[in-house]
Amino acid sequence: CGSVFRQVVTAACVMGMCATAQSENTRFYELEGFGVLLNGNPESTTLSEDGAITLPPASREWFNDPEASFSAATAYKDGVAVARVDTQSIVYIDSSGKEEVILEVSEAMVTSLKFHEGYLYIAAGPPAVIRRIGEDGKSEVFYEAEAGYVWDIEFKSDGTMMLATGEPGSVVEVGSNGKGEPVFIPEQKHLRALVLSDALGIF
């Protein structure tokens, strides 16, 4: 029966009785900006600015402590330095995920960490103070700000340190000698972040 059925279907198609298969026409969509693409929920993909969809970078769990919360972090040596809120300590986590306490502070909170030219800079407060740890592991007070908090630390290309402070909000320029001077004092109580550009200045 199966053989006869196939012969009948074949004969019917040859005689033009089969429906014509319809293909989908090409569609074009015009998107109003990159933000439209971000409204979706791509899983296991990476979307570039020109719309190319590729596989994402490989990721793995590096460190896991459900009891920990961090107030600041920065790349440090071959790992990362983080500030733990619960113990008021600076912890170095190496590439294998091993944790090592490198400094404990007396201030209520570590607000910013920055690694620059061999030194790890640590901002804590209130009152705001910046310590730095050298390659020998020794720490020293580098700068005491006339503010409650230092929320962000950035460096110009010439090595000058720039700070965003809170209570009061200001931008402070600190030289290599640890002497600081406000260069911008707005009406805001807190300035939380800085972006530096050699061409455009300070944002």
Side-chain angles (χ1 to χ4, degrees), residues 107 109 111 124-129 145-151 165-168 190:
E107 290 78 19
M109 179 170 55
T111 53
V129 61
E146 295 181 2
Y149 303 90
V150 170
W151 291 116
T165 71
E167 295 184 358
H190 293 273

Side-chain angles (χ1 to χ4, degrees), residues 14-182:
V14 170
M15 296 175 62
M17 296 176 63
C18 285
T20 304
Q22 298 292 326
S23 63
E24 179 68 27
N25 292 329
T26 302
R27 300 183 185 185
F28 295 93
Y29 294 92
E30 292 186 7
L31 303 179
E32 297 180 0
F34 185 60
V36 177
L37 295 175
L38 299 180
N39 290 332
N41 184 26
E43 296 181 1
S44 300
T45 58
T46 295
L47 188 61
S48 68
E49 291 187 3
D50 58 2
I53 298 176
T54 61
L55 292 175
S59 64
R60 65 180 177 87
E61 185 175 278
W62 190 356
F63 175 81
N64 183 12
D65 184 351
E67 302 299 322
S69 62
F70 304 135
S71 59
T74 187
Y76 182 58
K77 296 182 179 180
D78 67 341
V80 63
V82 296
R84 289 188 65 133
V85 176
D86 53 346
T87 60
Q88 296 170 291
S89 59
I90 310 303
V91 176
Y92 168 55
I93 304 172
D94 66 17
S95 58
S96 67
K98 182 180 178 181
E99 181 181 10
E100 175 190 356
V101 176
I102 57 178
L103 182 68
E104 293 183 356
V105 301
S106 58
E107 290 78 19
M109 179 170 55
V110 175
T111 53
S112 184
L113 294 174
K114 192 76 172 183
F115 183 63
H116 180 73
E117 293 186 351
Y119 286 99
L120 176 62
Y121 292 87
I122 302 158
V129 61
I130 296 178
R131 296 180 179 86
R132 68 179 183 182
I133 299 176
E135 296 178 354
D136 57 3
K138 295 180 180 180
S139 67
E140 62 178 350
V141 174
F142 177 70
Y143 177 68
E144 295 182 68
E146 295 181 2
Y149 303 90
V150 170
W151 291 116
D152 196 11
I153 302 172
E154 296 295 338
F155 287 89
K156 290 183 176 180
S157 57
D158 63 1
T160 302
M161 173 187 284
M162 304 300 295
L163 308 176
T165 71
E167 295 184 358
S170 65
V171 176
V172 179
E173 184 177 270
V174 183
S176 58
N177 59 358
K179 302 293 184 180
E181 180 181 354

